[in-house]
Amino acid sequence: LLALITLVAAPPYSAETAARIIGGALADGSAYARLAELTDGIGPRLSGSPGAQAAIAWALSKFKEDGVAARTEPVKVPHWLRGEERAAIVSTPGVAAHALAVTALGGSPGTPPSGIEAEVVEVRSVAEVAQLGDRVRGKIVFFDHDMSTPKGYGEFGPLRMKGPAEAARAGAAAALVRSLATASLRSPHTGATIFPEGAPQIPAAALATEDAELIHRLLARGVPVRVSLTLGCRTLPDVDSANVVAEIRGRERPQEVVVIGAHLDSWDLATGAIDDGAGVSVVLETARLLAREKPRRTVRAVLFINEENGLRGGKAYAAAHGSEMHVAGLESDSGAGRPLSIALRAGSGAQELVAPWLPPLLQLGVDRFATDEPGGADLSPLARLGVATAAVKQDVSHYFDLHHSAADTLDKVVPADLARMAAAFAWVTYALAEMPGTLSRPPPLPATEAPFAEPEHHPAAK
Ligand SMILES: [Zn+2]
């Protein structure tokens, strides 16, 4: 389709500009170098941690290095600490003792210091907890599933987000959730779980896939399984933190804003190279490349805090800036894979408006519009106000092998793929900021309160 359009119309952009932006991203190695500084130099960045604060100062200095005006905007964030975590299958007749690879879910309370011990009951949906009624009282509820593809994150995400709260309501002693992952070398994958304000809370942990399989096998044979669990996690009072907001003022229509974003915070188990260090480096790279071009509209780069366990940064940005004229939003929070396609959520005529700007992306392997929606948790509060969104969809086939686990480290990032992603993201941002017209506004999203870090925000398969 894109190739066809190049044949019938003269391009609306300058080929030299396209070569400068895309060539700069591909040749300079800046995105990967900065991702290395962030991951190896600063490390894990959970909200409220010293790493998160250091990342904010680092991001400000990078924007300034590139001549992009940047500031912080205050955000209060939750402060959850992990502590020790230990679990084991207790030896009973016919069952050996097994240490279990577990990691607490963000937001979980701890167990008493001596831990808890209880029998395990397996369920495969949140609804099944209520159906079991009294049979889960005092038990450890084990949420099992068969996620095997990236799409499964949307399907099974509610087990982690809502399952533990439902088990707590039913009087369970604790919850174990099979890791939401597409691969495992016995590494559990954490992530947020939500206990509604004032509702009962129980300790909740993710279980490595192999250990989930073991418990499932034993239970399927009719063997009762008892598990001991010790979690030292706890929540401290909220902490003052910040979004980092940088701006390249538009040369003709400065009041019209194209907002681009990624999140600075990460889980604490690793250095957050793919989630979302990669996105941070893509946004920094876009600002670096576009600062020299001075597009028609304002490009505002936001590095959000607290996407992972509260979405406070995304909500704070929408509260502070929601009334401004955002003509488009673009988020990078799907890892470091190579770019594949362009997604749009806008009113009618959007693809026709954008398509003539896309031929420079063919060299990067981006050759079509995606059939699914852009997604993106941090911009979801803004999207709910009716702002059009776009995305560069990436290869996410290995994203959930690593996501939220101790394996989310820099060695998984292929520098050339990250550079291609940065090039595509920078070019689409430039197009949205430079094109004569603007995307028409999409029909509003449902006005329901957005849960934070909604599982759907992460990429379904291309
Ligand atoms: Zn993320």
Side-chain angles (χ1 to χ4, degrees), residues 343-381:
L344 293 174
R345 185 172 193 281
S348 61
Q351 284 197 6
E352 291 76 1
L353 204 63
V354 171
W357 291 76
L358 299 189
L361 299 181
L362 287 170
Q363 65 189 292
L364 303 171
V366 178
D367 60 357
R368 61 189 185 279
F369 284 107
T371 50
D372 50 348
E373 299 237 315
D378 281 312
L379 290 182
S380 64

PDB file of all heavy atoms in Angstrom, residues 343-381:
ATOM      1  N   ALA A 343       0.204   2.059  14.006  1.00  0.00           N
ATOM      2  CA  ALA A 343      -1.177   2.004  14.486  1.00  0.00           C
ATOM      3  C   ALA A 343      -1.691   3.416  14.714  1.00  0.00           C
ATOM      4  O   ALA A 343      -0.942   4.293  15.131  1.00  0.00           O
ATOM      5  CB  ALA A 343      -1.254   1.207  15.789  1.00  0.00           C
ATOM      6  N   LEU A 344      -2.970   3.625  14.429  1.00  0.00           N
ATOM      7  CA  LEU A 344      -3.596   4.934  14.631  1.00  0.00           C
ATOM      8  C   LEU A 344      -4.913   4.747  15.353  1.00  0.00           C
ATOM      9  O   LEU A 344      -5.654   3.803  15.075  1.00  0.00           O
ATOM     10  CB  LEU A 344      -3.893   5.603  13.284  1.00  0.00           C
ATOM     11  CG  LEU A 344      -2.717   6.045  12.412  1.00  0.00           C
ATOM     12  CD1 LEU A 344      -3.251   6.544  11.070  1.00  0.00           C
ATOM     13  CD2 LEU A 344      -1.906   7.124  13.110  1.00  0.00           C
ATOM     14  N   ARG A 345      -5.202   5.643  16.284  1.00  0.00           N
ATOM     15  CA  ARG A 345      -6.554   5.728  16.838  1.00  0.00           C
ATOM     16  C   ARG A 345      -6.988   7.177  16.687  1.00  0.00           C
ATOM     17  O   ARG A 345      -6.549   8.050  17.440  1.00  0.00           O
ATOM     18  CB  ARG A 345      -6.588   5.294  18.301  1.00  0.00           C
ATOM     19  CG  ARG A 345      -8.010   5.272  18.845  1.00  0.00           C
ATOM     20  CD  ARG A 345      -8.152   4.674  20.227  1.00  0.00           C
ATOM     21  NE  ARG A 345      -9.561   4.422  20.496  1.00  0.00           N
ATOM     22  CZ  ARG A 345     -10.417   5.386  20.862  1.00  0.00           C
ATOM     23  NH1 ARG A 345     -10.001   6.611  21.049  1.00  0.00           N
ATOM     24  NH2 ARG A 345     -11.695   5.084  21.016  1.00  0.00           N
ATOM     25  N   ALA A 346      -7.784   7.431  15.666  1.00  0.00           N
ATOM     26  CA  ALA A 346      -8.194   8.796  15.341  1.00  0.00           C
ATOM     27  C   ALA A 346      -9.535   8.719  14.626  1.00  0.00           C
ATOM     28  O   ALA A 346     -10.077   7.629  14.420  1.00  0.00           O
ATOM     29  CB  ALA A 346      -7.146   9.457  14.462  1.00  0.00           C
ATOM     30  N   GLY A 347     -10.058   9.876  14.247  1.00  0.00           N
ATOM     31  CA  GLY A 347     -11.309   9.897  13.504  1.00  0.00           C
ATOM     32  C   GLY A 347     -11.076   9.563  12.040  1.00  0.00           C
ATOM     33  O   GLY A 347      -9.985   9.120  11.658  1.00  0.00           O
ATOM     34  N   SER A 348     -12.072   9.807  11.222  1.00  0.00           N
ATOM     35  CA  SER A 348     -11.984   9.376   9.825  1.00  0.00           C
ATOM     36  C   SER A 348     -10.905  10.165   9.074  1.00  0.00           C
ATOM     37  O   SER A 348     -10.577  11.299   9.410  1.00  0.00           O
ATOM     38  CB  SER A 348     -13.339   9.567   9.142  1.00  0.00           C
ATOM     39  OG  SER A 348     -13.675  10.937   9.185  1.00  0.00           O
ATOM     40  N   GLY A 349     -10.319   9.513   8.069  1.00  0.00           N
ATOM     41  CA  GLY A 349      -9.340  10.176   7.214  1.00  0.00           C
ATOM     42  C   GLY A 349      -7.910  10.140   7.733  1.00  0.00           C
ATOM     43  O   GLY A 349      -7.004  10.664   7.082  1.00  0.00           O
ATOM     44  N   ALA A 350      -7.686   9.526   8.902  1.00  0.00           N
ATOM     45  CA  ALA A 350      -6.352   9.578   9.518  1.00  0.00           C
ATOM     46  C   ALA A 350      -5.307   8.835   8.682  1.00  0.00           C
ATOM     47  O   ALA A 350      -4.203   9.348   8.452  1.00  0.00           O
ATOM     48  CB  ALA A 350      -6.406   9.017  10.935  1.00  0.00           C
ATOM     49  N   GLN A 351      -5.650   7.634   8.217  1.00  0.00           N
ATOM     50  CA  GLN A 351      -4.669   6.872   7.446  1.00  0.00           C
ATOM     51  C   GLN A 351      -4.289   7.606   6.159  1.00  0.00           C
ATOM     52  O   GLN A 351      -3.112   7.624   5.784  1.00  0.00           O
ATOM     53  CB  GLN A 351      -5.224   5.476   7.096  1.00  0.00           C
ATOM     54  CG  GLN A 351      -5.194   4.530   8.275  1.00  0.00           C
ATOM     55  CD  GLN A 351      -5.349   3.062   7.866  1.00  0.00           C
ATOM     56  OE1 GLN A 351      -5.375   2.734   6.680  1.00  0.00           O
ATOM     57  NE2 GLN A 351      -5.458   2.195   8.853  1.00  0.00           N
ATOM     58  N   GLU A 352      -5.270   8.226   5.507  1.00  0.00           N
ATOM     59  CA  GLU A 352      -5.002   8.947   4.267  1.00  0.00           C
ATOM     60  C   GLU A 352      -4.056  10.122   4.522  1.00  0.00           C
ATOM     61  O   GLU A 352      -3.218  10.456   3.684  1.00  0.00           O
ATOM     62  CB  GLU A 352      -6.313   9.455   3.654  1.00  0.00           C
ATOM     63  CG  GLU A 352      -7.233   8.367   3.115  1.00  0.00           C
ATOM     64  CD  GLU A 352      -7.998   7.603   4.200  1.00  0.00           C
ATOM     65  OE1 GLU A 352      -7.852   7.920   5.411  1.00  0.00           O
ATOM     66  OE2 GLU A 352      -8.734   6.670   3.834  1.00  0.00           O
ATOM     67  N   LEU A 353      -4.195  10.742   5.694  1.00  0.00           N
ATOM     68  CA  LEU A 353      -3.358  11.882   6.044  1.00  0.00           C
ATOM     69  C   LEU A 353      -1.919  11.449   6.327  1.00  0.00           C
ATOM     70  O   LEU A 353      -0.956  12.117   5.947  1.00  0.00           O
ATOM     71  CB  LEU A 353      -3.960  12.553   7.294  1.00  0.00           C
ATOM     72  CG  LEU A 353      -3.664  14.020   7.556  1.00  0.00           C
ATOM     73  CD1 LEU A 353      -4.236  14.876   6.444  1.00  0.00           C
ATOM     74  CD2 LEU A 353      -4.261  14.427   8.902  1.00  0.00           C
ATOM     75  N   VAL A 354      -1.784  10.302   6.994  1.00  0.00           N
ATOM     76  CA  VAL A 354      -0.463   9.854   7.457  1.00  0.00           C
ATOM     77  C   VAL A 354       0.292   9.102   6.365  1.00  0.00           C
ATOM     78  O   VAL A 354       1.524   9.215   6.255  1.00  0.00           O
ATOM     79  CB  VAL A 354      -0.624   8.977   8.731  1.00  0.00           C
ATOM     80  CG1 VAL A 354       0.684   8.313   9.117  1.00  0.00           C
ATOM     81  CG2 VAL A 354      -1.161   9.824   9.886  1.00  0.00           C
ATOM     82  N   ALA A 355      -0.423   8.351   5.543  1.00  0.00           N
ATOM     83  CA  ALA A 355       0.226   7.444   4.582  1.00  0.00           C
ATOM     84  C   ALA A 355       1.298   8.104   3.707  1.00  0.00           C
ATOM     85  O   ALA A 355       2.376   7.523   3.517  1.00  0.00           O
ATOM     86  CB  ALA A 355      -0.828   6.758   3.715  1.00  0.00           C
ATOM     87  N   PRO A 356       1.064   9.315   3.169  1.00  0.00           N
ATOM     88  CA  PRO A 356       2.085   9.900   2.285  1.00  0.00           C
ATOM     89  C   PRO A 356       3.418  10.177   2.986  1.00  0.00           C
ATOM     90  O   PRO A 356       4.427  10.377   2.335  1.00  0.00           O
ATOM     91  CB  PRO A 356       1.437  11.208   1.819  1.00  0.00           C
ATOM     92  CG  PRO A 356      -0.024  11.035   2.053  1.00  0.00           C
ATOM     93  CD  PRO A 356      -0.159  10.139   3.235  1.00  0.00           C
ATOM     94  N   TRP A 357       3.407  10.180   4.321  1.00  0.00           N
ATOM     95  CA  TRP A 357       4.625  10.461   5.084  1.00  0.00           C
ATOM     96  C   TRP A 357       5.408   9.184   5.414  1.00  0.00           C
ATOM     97  O   TRP A 357       6.487   9.260   6.002  1.00  0.00           O
ATOM     98  CB  TRP A 357       4.252  11.179   6.392  1.00  0.00           C
ATOM     99  CG  TRP A 357       3.743  12.558   6.147  1.00  0.00           C
ATOM    100  CD1 TRP A 357       2.509  12.908   5.673  1.00  0.00           C
ATOM    101  CD2 TRP A 357       4.467  13.773   6.309  1.00  0.00           C
ATOM    102  NE1 TRP A 357       2.413  14.261   5.536  1.00  0.00           N
ATOM    103  CE2 TRP A 357       3.607  14.831   5.932  1.00  0.00           C
ATOM    104  CE3 TRP A 357       5.759  14.084   6.753  1.00  0.00           C
ATOM    105  CZ2 TRP A 357       4.003  16.160   5.968  1.00  0.00           C
ATOM    106  CZ3 TRP A 357       6.152  15.413   6.806  1.00  0.00           C
ATOM    107  CH2 TRP A 357       5.279  16.445   6.410  1.00  0.00           C
ATOM    108  N   LEU A 358       4.878   8.035   5.070  1.00  0.00           N
ATOM    109  CA  LEU A 358       5.475   6.800   5.568  1.00  0.00           C
ATOM    110  C   LEU A 358       6.516   6.112   4.683  1.00  0.00           C
ATOM    111  O   LEU A 358       7.234   5.244   5.169  1.00  0.00           O
ATOM    112  CB  LEU A 358       4.367   5.804   5.941  1.00  0.00           C
ATOM    113  CG  LEU A 358       3.423   6.305   7.050  1.00  0.00           C
ATOM    114  CD1 LEU A 358       2.509   5.184   7.517  1.00  0.00           C
ATOM    115  CD2 LEU A 358       4.193   6.867   8.246  1.00  0.00           C
ATOM    116  N   PRO A 359       6.653   6.470   3.415  1.00  0.00           N
ATOM    117  CA  PRO A 359       7.668   5.769   2.610  1.00  0.00           C
ATOM    118  C   PRO A 359       9.075   5.732   3.214  1.00  0.00           C
ATOM    119  O   PRO A 359       9.760   4.716   3.073  1.00  0.00           O
ATOM    120  CB  PRO A 359       7.628   6.517   1.270  1.00  0.00           C
ATOM    121  CG  PRO A 359       6.197   6.944   1.161  1.00  0.00           C
ATOM    122  CD  PRO A 359       5.809   7.340   2.568  1.00  0.00           C
ATOM    123  N   PRO A 360       9.545   6.770   3.924  1.00  0.00           N
ATOM    124  CA  PRO A 360      10.891   6.640   4.508  1.00  0.00           C
ATOM    125  C   PRO A 360      11.017   5.479   5.503  1.00  0.00           C
ATOM    126  O   PRO A 360      12.135   5.071   5.828  1.00  0.00           O
ATOM    127  CB  PRO A 360      11.093   7.984   5.232  1.00  0.00           C
ATOM    128  CG  PRO A 360      10.209   8.943   4.500  1.00  0.00           C
ATOM    129  CD  PRO A 360       8.996   8.128   4.111  1.00  0.00           C
ATOM    130  N   LEU A 361       9.868   4.956   5.970  1.00  0.00           N
ATOM    131  CA  LEU A 361       9.917   3.860   6.940  1.00  0.00           C
ATOM    132  C   LEU A 361      10.126   2.500   6.281  1.00  0.00           C
ATOM    133  O   LEU A 361      10.433   1.526   6.958  1.00  0.00           O
ATOM    134  CB  LEU A 361       8.617   3.819   7.768  1.00  0.00           C
ATOM    135  CG  LEU A 361       8.320   5.065   8.596  1.00  0.00           C
ATOM    136  CD1 LEU A 361       7.018   4.871   9.375  1.00  0.00           C
ATOM    137  CD2 LEU A 361       9.469   5.358   9.569  1.00  0.00           C
ATOM    138  N   LEU A 362       9.959   2.450   4.951  1.00  0.00           N
ATOM    139  CA  LEU A 362      10.107   1.157   4.259  1.00  0.00           C
ATOM    140  C   LEU A 362      11.497   0.571   4.487  1.00  0.00           C
ATOM    141  O   LEU A 362      11.654  -0.631   4.690  1.00  0.00           O
ATOM    142  CB  LEU A 362       9.846   1.332   2.759  1.00  0.00           C
ATOM    143  CG  LEU A 362       8.378   1.545   2.376  1.00  0.00           C
ATOM    144  CD1 LEU A 362       8.269   1.955   0.907  1.00  0.00           C
ATOM    145  CD2 LEU A 362       7.560   0.280   2.644  1.00  0.00           C
ATOM    146  N   GLN A 363      12.520   1.427   4.489  1.00  0.00           N
ATOM    147  CA  GLN A 363      13.897   0.956   4.700  1.00  0.00           C
ATOM    148  C   GLN A 363      14.090   0.366   6.090  1.00  0.00           C
ATOM    149  O   GLN A 363      15.076  -0.341   6.338  1.00  0.00           O
ATOM    150  CB  GLN A 363      14.882   2.117   4.497  1.00  0.00           C
ATOM    151  CG  GLN A 363      14.701   3.216   5.540  1.00  0.00           C
ATOM    152  CD  GLN A 363      15.507   4.464   5.246  1.00  0.00           C
ATOM    153  OE1 GLN A 363      16.716   4.453   5.309  1.00  0.00           O
ATOM    154  NE2 GLN A 363      14.813   5.546   4.914  1.00  0.00           N
ATOM    155  N   LEU A 364      13.151   0.681   7.016  1.00  0.00           N
ATOM    156  CA  LEU A 364      13.252   0.156   8.382  1.00  0.00           C
ATOM    157  C   LEU A 364      12.425  -1.114   8.548  1.00  0.00           C
ATOM    158  O   LEU A 364      12.392  -1.698   9.632  1.00  0.00           O
ATOM    159  CB  LEU A 364      12.765   1.211   9.384  1.00  0.00           C
ATOM    160  CG  LEU A 364      13.496   2.556   9.318  1.00  0.00           C
ATOM    161  CD1 LEU A 364      12.790   3.586  10.194  1.00  0.00           C
ATOM    162  CD2 LEU A 364      14.950   2.387   9.754  1.00  0.00           C
ATOM    163  N   GLY A 365      11.728  -1.510   7.499  1.00  0.00           N
ATOM    164  CA  GLY A 365      10.885  -2.710   7.587  1.00  0.00           C
ATOM    165  C   GLY A 365       9.456  -2.415   7.994  1.00  0.00           C
ATOM    166  O   GLY A 365       8.683  -3.326   8.258  1.00  0.00           O
ATOM    167  N   VAL A 366       9.093  -1.142   8.064  1.00  0.00           N
ATOM    168  CA  VAL A 366       7.721  -0.758   8.415  1.00  0.00           C
ATOM    169  C   VAL A 366       6.964  -0.517   7.119  1.00  0.00           C
ATOM    170  O   VAL A 366       7.246   0.444   6.412  1.00  0.00           O
ATOM    171  CB  VAL A 366       7.693   0.513   9.284  1.00  0.00           C
ATOM    172  CG1 VAL A 366       6.260   0.920   9.610  1.00  0.00           C
ATOM    173  CG2 VAL A 366       8.498   0.299  10.551  1.00  0.00           C
ATOM    174  N   ASP A 367       6.015  -1.394   6.804  1.00  0.00           N
ATOM    175  CA  ASP A 367       5.403  -1.311   5.474  1.00  0.00           C
ATOM    176  C   ASP A 367       3.884  -1.375   5.497  1.00  0.00           C
ATOM    177  O   ASP A 367       3.255  -1.625   4.496  1.00  0.00           O
ATOM    178  CB  ASP A 367       5.951  -2.440   4.587  1.00  0.00           C
ATOM    179  CG  ASP A 367       5.644  -3.813   5.158  1.00  0.00           C
ATOM    180  OD1 ASP A 367       5.048  -3.887   6.268  1.00  0.00           O
ATOM    181  OD2 ASP A 367       5.996  -4.813   4.525  1.00  0.00           O
ATOM    182  N   ARG A 368       3.269  -1.162   6.677  1.00  0.00           N
ATOM    183  CA  ARG A 368       1.807  -1.245   6.691  1.00  0.00           C
ATOM    184  C   ARG A 368       1.232  -0.578   7.942  1.00  0.00           C
ATOM    185  O   ARG A 368       1.947  -0.292   8.903  1.00  0.00           O
ATOM    186  CB  ARG A 368       1.362  -2.695   6.652  1.00  0.00           C
ATOM    187  CG  ARG A 368       1.839  -3.508   7.839  1.00  0.00           C
ATOM    188  CD  ARG A 368       1.545  -5.003   7.626  1.00  0.00           C
ATOM    189  NE  ARG A 368       1.890  -5.791   8.793  1.00  0.00           N
ATOM    190  CZ  ARG A 368       3.131  -6.194   9.095  1.00  0.00           C
ATOM    191  NH1 ARG A 368       4.154  -5.842   8.339  1.00  0.00           N
ATOM    192  NH2 ARG A 368       3.345  -6.910  10.178  1.00  0.00           N
ATOM    193  N   PHE A 369      -0.088  -0.375   7.883  1.00  0.00           N
ATOM    194  CA  PHE A 369      -0.808   0.040   9.079  1.00  0.00           C
ATOM    195  C   PHE A 369      -1.192  -1.200   9.875  1.00  0.00           C
ATOM    196  O   PHE A 369      -1.523  -2.245   9.292  1.00  0.00           O
ATOM    197  CB  PHE A 369      -2.066   0.828   8.715  1.00  0.00           C
ATOM    198  CG  PHE A 369      -1.768   2.233   8.277  1.00  0.00           C
ATOM    199  CD1 PHE A 369      -1.875   2.608   6.943  1.00  0.00           C
ATOM    200  CD2 PHE A 369      -1.379   3.201   9.201  1.00  0.00           C
ATOM    201  CE1 PHE A 369      -1.588   3.905   6.540  1.00  0.00           C
ATOM    202  CE2 PHE A 369      -1.090   4.494   8.807  1.00  0.00           C
ATOM    203  CZ  PHE A 369      -1.198   4.849   7.471  1.00  0.00           C
ATOM    204  N   ALA A 370      -1.139  -1.082  11.190  1.00  0.00           N
ATOM    205  CA  ALA A 370      -1.532  -2.189  12.058  1.00  0.00           C
ATOM    206  C   ALA A 370      -3.049  -2.287  12.091  1.00  0.00           C
ATOM    207  O   ALA A 370      -3.746  -1.302  11.848  1.00  0.00           O
ATOM    208  CB  ALA A 370      -1.003  -1.955  13.473  1.00  0.00           C
ATOM    209  N   THR A 371      -3.549  -3.462  12.392  1.00  0.00           N
ATOM    210  CA  THR A 371      -4.995  -3.617  12.503  1.00  0.00           C
ATOM    211  C   THR A 371      -5.457  -3.382  13.942  1.00  0.00           C
ATOM    212  O   THR A 371      -6.637  -3.179  14.189  1.00  0.00           O
ATOM    213  CB  THR A 371      -5.414  -5.028  12.067  1.00  0.00           C
ATOM    214  OG1 THR A 371      -4.597  -5.976  12.746  1.00  0.00           O
ATOM    215  CG2 THR A 371      -5.257  -5.207  10.564  1.00  0.00           C
ATOM    216  N   ASP A 372      -4.508  -3.421  14.894  1.00  0.00           N
ATOM    217  CA  ASP A 372      -4.916  -3.188  16.285  1.00  0.00           C
ATOM    218  C   ASP A 372      -4.633  -1.744  16.707  1.00  0.00           C
ATOM    219  O   ASP A 372      -4.032  -0.967  15.972  1.00  0.00           O
ATOM    220  CB  ASP A 372      -4.273  -4.199  17.241  1.00  0.00           C
ATOM    221  CG  ASP A 372      -2.758  -4.303  17.045  1.00  0.00           C
ATOM    222  OD1 ASP A 372      -2.263  -3.761  16.035  1.00  0.00           O
ATOM    223  OD2 ASP A 372      -2.099  -4.900  17.897  1.00  0.00           O
ATOM    224  N   GLU A 373      -5.082  -1.409  17.911  1.00  0.00           N
ATOM    225  CA  GLU A 373      -5.017  -0.038  18.409  1.00  0.00           C
ATOM    226  C   GLU A 373      -3.636   0.287  18.967  1.00  0.00           C
ATOM    227  O   GLU A 373      -2.871  -0.613  19.307  1.00  0.00           O
ATOM    228  CB  GLU A 373      -6.066   0.138  19.514  1.00  0.00           C
ATOM    229  CG  GLU A 373      -7.478  -0.100  19.033  1.00  0.00           C
ATOM    230  CD  GLU A 373      -8.378   1.085  19.279  1.00  0.00           C
ATOM    231  OE1 GLU A 373      -8.314   1.644  20.388  1.00  0.00           O
ATOM    232  OE2 GLU A 373      -9.141   1.461  18.370  1.00  0.00           O
ATOM    233  N   PRO A 374      -3.318   1.590  19.058  1.00  0.00           N
ATOM    234  CA  PRO A 374      -2.005   1.961  19.569  1.00  0.00           C
ATOM    235  C   PRO A 374      -1.736   1.475  21.001  1.00  0.00           C
ATOM    236  O   PRO A 374      -0.646   1.034  21.303  1.00  0.00           O
ATOM    237  CB  PRO A 374      -2.032   3.494  19.526  1.00  0.00           C
ATOM    238  CG  PRO A 374      -3.043   3.821  18.481  1.00  0.00           C
ATOM    239  CD  PRO A 374      -4.074   2.748  18.568  1.00  0.00           C
ATOM    240  N   GLY A 375      -2.732   1.552  21.896  1.00  0.00           N
ATOM    241  CA  GLY A 375      -2.499   1.171  23.291  1.00  0.00           C
ATOM    242  C   GLY A 375      -1.606   2.172  24.001  1.00  0.00           C
ATOM    243  O   GLY A 375      -1.392   3.283  23.514  1.00  0.00           O
ATOM    244  N   GLY A 376      -1.047   1.780  25.147  1.00  0.00           N
ATOM    245  CA  GLY A 376      -0.183   2.694  25.901  1.00  0.00           C
ATOM    246  C   GLY A 376      -0.855   3.129  27.185  1.00  0.00           C
ATOM    247  O   GLY A 376      -1.866   3.823  27.160  1.00  0.00           O
ATOM    248  N   ALA A 377      -0.294   2.720  28.333  1.00  0.00           N
ATOM    249  CA  ALA A 377      -0.921   3.018  29.624  1.00  0.00           C
ATOM    250  C   ALA A 377      -0.757   4.485  30.014  1.00  0.00           C
ATOM    251  O   ALA A 377      -1.707   5.126  30.460  1.00  0.00           O
ATOM    252  CB  ALA A 377      -0.344   2.121  30.713  1.00  0.00           C
ATOM    253  N   ASP A 378       0.439   5.033  29.859  1.00  0.00           N
ATOM    254  CA  ASP A 378       0.680   6.396  30.352  1.00  0.00           C
ATOM    255  C   ASP A 378      -0.149   7.443  29.622  1.00  0.00           C
ATOM    256  O   ASP A 378      -0.517   8.457  30.210  1.00  0.00           O
ATOM    257  CB  ASP A 378       2.166   6.736  30.243  1.00  0.00           C
ATOM    258  CG  ASP A 378       2.972   6.113  31.373  1.00  0.00           C
ATOM    259  OD1 ASP A 378       2.551   6.250  32.537  1.00  0.00           O
ATOM    260  OD2 ASP A 378       4.001   5.482  31.089  1.00  0.00           O
ATOM    261  N   LEU A 379      -0.424   7.217  28.352  1.00  0.00           N
ATOM    262  CA  LEU A 379      -1.239   8.180  27.603  1.00  0.00           C
ATOM    263  C   LEU A 379      -2.731   7.837  27.659  1.00  0.00           C
ATOM    264  O   LEU A 379      -3.545   8.568  27.108  1.00  0.00           O
ATOM    265  CB  LEU A 379      -0.768   8.274  26.144  1.00  0.00           C
ATOM    266  CG  LEU A 379       0.593   8.957  25.933  1.00  0.00           C
ATOM    267  CD1 LEU A 379       0.923   9.044  24.447  1.00  0.00           C
ATOM    268  CD2 LEU A 379       0.627  10.356  26.551  1.00  0.00           C
ATOM    269  N   SER A 380      -3.082   6.725  28.339  1.00  0.00           N
ATOM    270  CA  SER A 380      -4.503   6.353  28.362  1.00  0.00           C
ATOM    271  C   SER A 380      -5.384   7.409  29.046  1.00  0.00           C
ATOM    272  O   SER A 380      -6.509   7.638  28.585  1.00  0.00           O
ATOM    273  CB  SER A 380      -4.707   4.961  28.976  1.00  0.00           C
ATOM    274  OG  SER A 380      -4.315   4.927  30.326  1.00  0.00           O
ATOM    275  N   PRO A 381      -4.912   8.087  30.117  1.00  0.00           N
ATOM    276  CA  PRO A 381      -5.780   9.144  30.676  1.00  0.00           C
ATOM    277  C   PRO A 381      -6.019  10.280  29.676  1.00  0.00           C
ATOM    278  O   PRO A 381      -7.103  10.865  29.646  1.00  0.00           O
ATOM    279  CB  PRO A 381      -4.981   9.641  31.898  1.00  0.00           C
ATOM    280  CG  PRO A 381      -4.098   8.494  32.271  1.00  0.00           C
ATOM    281  CD  PRO A 381      -3.713   7.864  30.950  1.00  0.00           C
TER     282      PRO A 381
END
